[in-house]
Amino acid sequence: MSFCHVNVELIEYPRVDVNGIRHYQIGHKCYPSITTVLGCTADKSHLTEWKKRVGEKEANRISNNSAKRGTNLHTMCEDYLNNRTLSCKMPDALEMFYSLKPILNRINNIHCQEATLYSDKLQIAGTVDCIAEFDNVLSVIDFKNSRKDKKEEWIYDYFLQETFYALAYQEITEYKIKQIVTIVAVEDSKPQVFIKEIRPYIKPLVERKKLFLKI
């Protein structure tokens, strides 16, 4: 399959460290990353309980392996959508990629991948996985990997993050995005696809930014 690309000019901005927190330097402005804003304000009780259950060493091993696999999976998805030969061949990530291919084939008219987006209104920045049409609807598309199926309540912050990208993209380009799509490759299982409208997540996103400013 050959994917079409829409010519949208976006500027890449550098990431900088400010007191150990990731920011983006947007000209003379410096905005925290959306992952930082959400990470600093998230309820981490479930993560703490999981680490207690499996042990610190095993939790770190699982997290590091998941991060490495996720990076490789992202690279393969990006290569595929850019009509390039796959440049990464990590076995378990490759297996996950092939499970995603039928879903990736629902994407077309790609605006950007791994692009820096920012919002002067929210004063946040971040790097979006993909903005493209999904089932013919312009969407923010996020690629994830997991050891087991996700429940929606576990990935609420994914939806907030994707909503930020939708708002930031509209602010920068005037393209309006109403839909967010989370694609989860699951180990030894079928992938999951969560499709949401952004409207219910705008107010909670703003509230999380306000909470971040109080920390």
Side-chain angles (χ1 to χ4, degrees):
M1 179 169 178
S2 181
F3 297 94
C4 297
H5 288 254
V6 177
N7 185 23
V8 179
E9 292 188 11
L10 295 172
I11 300 172
E12 288 300 308
Y13 293 97
R15 300 178 187 183
V16 294
D17 212 42
V18 180
N19 299 323
I21 297 176
R22 180 193 295 174
H23 285 66
Y24 286 78
Q25 192 70 47
I26 313 295
H28 66 279
K29 300 165 287 190
C30 193
Y31 292 156
S33 72
I34 181 62
T35 52
T36 295
V37 170
L38 295 177
C40 289
T41 57
D43 178 3
K44 298 178 182 177
S45 57
H46 65 291
L47 182 60
T48 302
E49 289 300 317
W50 173 69
K51 286 184 176 180
K52 286 181 181 178
R53 191 166 62 250
V54 303
E56 191 76 25
K57 185 176 180 180
E58 178 64 8
N60 288 336
R61 186 194 69 80
I62 292 171
S63 296
N64 291 336
N65 184 66
S66 179
K68 182 179 178 181
R69 183 173 62 189
T71 298
N72 282 275
L73 180 63
H74 275 75
T75 298
M76 285 186 275
C77 290
E78 187 176 359
D79 284 342
Y80 183 62
L81 294 174
N82 279 327
N83 304 312
R84 296 195 299 244
T85 302
L86 301 185
S87 58
C88 179
K89 301 290 176 69
M90 182 180 176
D92 53 347
L94 190 61
E95 184 178 346
M96 282 186 161
F97 167 76
Y98 281 114
S99 76
L100 290 185
K101 267 189 82 173
I103 298 169
L104 297 178
N105 289 338
R106 295 162 64 182
I107 296 172
N108 208 353
N109 295 320
I110 299 161
H111 286 220
C112 62
Q113 293 190 82
E114 292 297 315
T116 303
L117 300 178
Y118 66 91
S119 167
D120 287 326
K121 293 178 181 177
L122 291 169
Q123 298 186 341
I124 305 173
T127 302
V128 67
D129 283 357
C130 180
I131 293 179
E133 291 180 7
F134 187 86
D135 292 340
N136 301 312
V137 179
L138 186 60
S139 310
V140 168
I141 304 170
D142 206 8
F143 305 114
K144 302 292 185 183
N145 78 101
S146 178
R147 294 170 62 236
K148 60 182 181 179
D149 286 346
K150 296 286 192 184
K151 294 181 180 179
E152 285 196 17
E153 56 264 33
W154 298 349
I155 59 172
Y156 184 78
D157 279 12
Y158 292 174
F159 304 147
L160 295 183
Q161 184 172 359
E162 293 154 12
T163 295
F164 162 72
Y165 293 136
L167 295 174
Y169 193 65
Q170 180 177 343
E171 190 175 324
I172 294 170
T173 69
E174 297 186 356
Y175 280 102
K176 193 165 186 177
I177 299 176
K178 296 181 179 180
Q179 178 173 283
I180 53 178
V181 180
T182 312
I183 301 173
V184 185
V186 184
E187 187 177 311
D188 300 322
S189 186
K190 293 180 180 179
Q192 296 174 282
V193 181
F194 300 88
I195 301 174
K196 301 288 183 181
E197 290 187 0
I198 72 167
R199 187 168 49 185
Y201 303 102
I202 296 174
K203 185 176 179 180
L205 171 64
V206 172
E207 291 303 314
R208 289 285 286 276
K209 173 60 193 303
K210 290 179 180 177
L211 181 59
F212 174 77
L213 293 175
K214 295 178 181 178
I215 296 175

